[in-house]
Amino acid sequence: MVVFGSPALVAAIIRDKRILVLQYSAYHPAVDQRYVLPGGRPKKRESLDAALIREVKEETDLGIQVLRLVHLDLFKNKANGKIRPIGFFECSLIDYK
């Protein structure tokens, strides 16, 4: 099996035994699910932690601390058939009341 491109990163942001999920509109072209966990891909020479912090800030305007890698897997992109690694990270909110 050949893996192409950079890994996808997903943040499981847990607070008070709840996990933050994002709701996309029914017409969002890039997402086939209605609810997703925040995340994205690292830029060139960007660490995984820094990439996840940046992506969550861009998508939610929230600051996070990356605590640990929870799960690592592979997924196949339905649009282009490429296989990519995906990392699920436990995160906590910072500076949020």
Side-chain angles (χ1 to χ4, degrees):
M1 180 181 316
V2 179
V3 178
F4 297 94
S6 59
L9 309 171
V10 177
I13 303 168
I14 302 168
R15 183 169 187 233
D16 298 329
K17 298 182 182 180
R18 295 180 181 188
I19 295 179
L20 175 74
V21 295
L22 305 179
Q23 182 179 12
Y24 283 97
S25 75
Y27 302 104
H28 193 286
V31 180
D32 61 354
Q33 300 96 356
R34 186 140 180 123
Y35 296 94
V36 296
L37 295 172
R41 291 189 183 79
K43 294 180 178 178
K44 192 172 185 177
R45 295 190 179 95
E46 185 177 38
S47 73
L48 299 182
D49 285 5
L52 197 53
I53 290 167
R54 175 186 51 77
E55 287 285 352
V56 170
K57 185 70 172 174
E58 288 174 2
E59 294 178 11
T60 67
D61 201 30
L62 296 171
I64 63 164
Q65 177 182 6
V66 179
L67 301 176
R68 66 187 178 106
L69 176 66
V70 177
H71 183 74
L72 184 62
D73 210 336
L74 297 174
F75 79 96
K76 186 174 184 178
N77 185 314
K78 292 179 185 177
N80 62 20
K82 290 185 178 178
I83 297 171
R84 292 184 181 272
I86 182 169
F88 293 84
F89 293 82
E90 179 183 356
C91 303
S92 63
L93 291 174
I94 57 173
D95 300 328
Y96 184 78
K97 309 257 187 262

